[in-house]
Amino acid sequence: MTIYNLYIFDRYGTLLYYGEWNRSKQSGMSIEEEGKLMYGMLFSIKSFVSKISPLDPKDGFSHYKTSKYTLHCLETPSGLKFVMNTDNQAQGVRDLLKKIYAEIYVKYMIRNPLCEMGEPIVSDLFKSKLDLFIKQTPIHTVRAS
Amino acid sequence: MADDIIFELLHSEIINYSIEKFKNNDNGEKETDLSVVEYIGFAAGYKIMERLTREWPRFKDELDTMKFICTDFWTCIYKKQIDNLRTNHQGVYVLQDNAFRFLTNFSNGHQYLEYAPRYVAYTCGLIRGGLANLCINSIVTAEVQSMPSCKFHIHVQRT
């Protein structure tokens, strides 16, 4: 159960933060391009899912799964998107993302008047708290499987 | 639960507003005028001291007053007590708070250190106002060496 990386986007598509813990293959493009690619994909897939869904969608797009990884997305009412790639055995990632939002983002970004909204996150405290949090989650164990 | 944050947000906006409004364009960027924020703190501290010491008897001496500031006054506003009080018994007191409320969310060390003075100006005024209402005239300054801990220096003016 491993966490590979995390992206945080604001409502305009700006990549606010990117963190990686276990990524072994790089995408071969710069981080800004990767951010734009990710955001574009999320935007399209959300709108696709809401239109094509044969039932009434309750929460909208939540995650997609491939044979190698799962991508989870949490969208807050204020338009922030927390996107996390994990392996296929991860459980409760949505709650994990909610916790990251409530306990780390809100606490260290919103309550810090020196961090501008809409600007990439530079606060060291945010990075270290996030790192600590990720390493403490029970699902972040690197197993030699 | 959400009440604490209202004060923090209001406080940071007061600081941003004062700095923007009273920015002296002739000087370089380094000069930020914090006297307005300090005065707002002074007025608030003066009045809050009246309210807090309603039921209390007169203080025995200056040191007793300082202890009161470290405990009740600080608890009322910052939900904790001052961690360390030092004095030289000649009218200089140093109050140390190891987790100053407005600075805990900034950084754990030295990032953003140059912005720290802005966020302690209000508190300096608060202490000065509180002491003024107890007939102690003083000068209060603050020193931030490493966040989130902060030291307040109080020099009592004896005439």
Side-chain angles (χ1 to χ4, degrees), chain A residues 4 14 76 85 113:
Chain A
Y4 297 126
T14 326
T76 70
N85 288 325

Side-chain angles (χ1 to χ4, degrees), chain A residues 106-116 120-129, chain B residues 4-5 8-9 12 16 101-108 111-112 115-116 118-119 147:
Chain A
V106 169
K107 192 157 182 224
Y108 297 106
M109 284 299 296
I110 306 289
R111 296 175 80 151
N112 183 349
L114 298 166
C115 289
E116 306 274 339
I121 296 174
V122 291
S123 161
D124 287 338
L125 191 59
F126 175 85
K127 289 179 191 156
S128 55
K129 293 279 173 184
Chain B
D4 303 346
I5 197 172
E8 284 180 30
L9 292 173
S12 33
N16 286 344
R101 182 172 161 194
F102 297 128
L103 298 179
T104 37
N105 297 325
F106 282 32
S107 76
N108 249 353
Q111 199 188 18
Y112 299 127
Y115 297 107
R118 301 180 185 180
Y119 295 92
M147 313 228 240

